Amino acid sequence: VMDALLRSFTWMPPGHGQLPDSLLEALTLVAAQSFEVGIRAAAPVLVALLVATLIVALISRTLPQLNAVAVGLNFNALIVMGVLALCLGSAAWVFQDHVEGVIDAVTNTFHSE
């Protein structure tokens, strides 16, 4: 990060600011990759919550005297914490794979001129 900051002063000296023409494409690429990474990192927790909600709904239809809201909220909280604890390490791999591509895209945008 410090190297990129120092190289930015050689690329664009203070007082001579001009943005490259391909900046909009780079920002679109970064936003698209950010959404993809977010979805890939959150997918295990979202799937676990969907399955837990379906299980609580099935139980509440089978046992109507059971308070589905009281059981469901506690059950969902436990499921989220458990799946998050199991998948947190793999989320770091997802971020690590995509960070290099984003940095290269931004660097190529500013050094293409």
Side-chain angles (χ1 to χ4, degrees), residues 1-12:
V1 172
M2 290 301 291
D3 183 44
L5 180 64
L6 292 175
R7 281 191 285 153
S8 70
F9 288 117
T10 60
W11 172 74
M12 185 185 306

Side-chain angles (χ1 to χ4, degrees), residues 11-95:
W11 172 74
M12 185 185 306
H16 296 96
Q18 183 180 9
L19 295 176
D21 296 331
S22 60
L23 183 64
L24 185 62
E25 292 176 22
L27 289 178
T28 305
L29 176 70
V30 168
Q33 286 185 350
S34 298
F35 280 119
E36 179 186 349
V37 167
I39 289 171
R40 286 183 61 193
V45 175
L46 291 176
V47 170
L49 271 177
L50 175 68
V51 170
T53 303
L54 292 175
I55 290 172
V56 169
L58 181 67
I59 290 172
S60 70
R61 290 288 285 178
T62 313
L63 299 169
Q65 65 271 19
L66 187 68
N67 188 357
V69 175
V71 172
L73 289 176
N74 294 328
F75 186 61
N76 284 345
L78 288 174
I79 293 295
V80 166
M81 291 300 168
V83 172
L84 189 62
L86 289 174
C87 296
L88 197 57
S90 64
W93 285 339
V94 170
F95 291 129

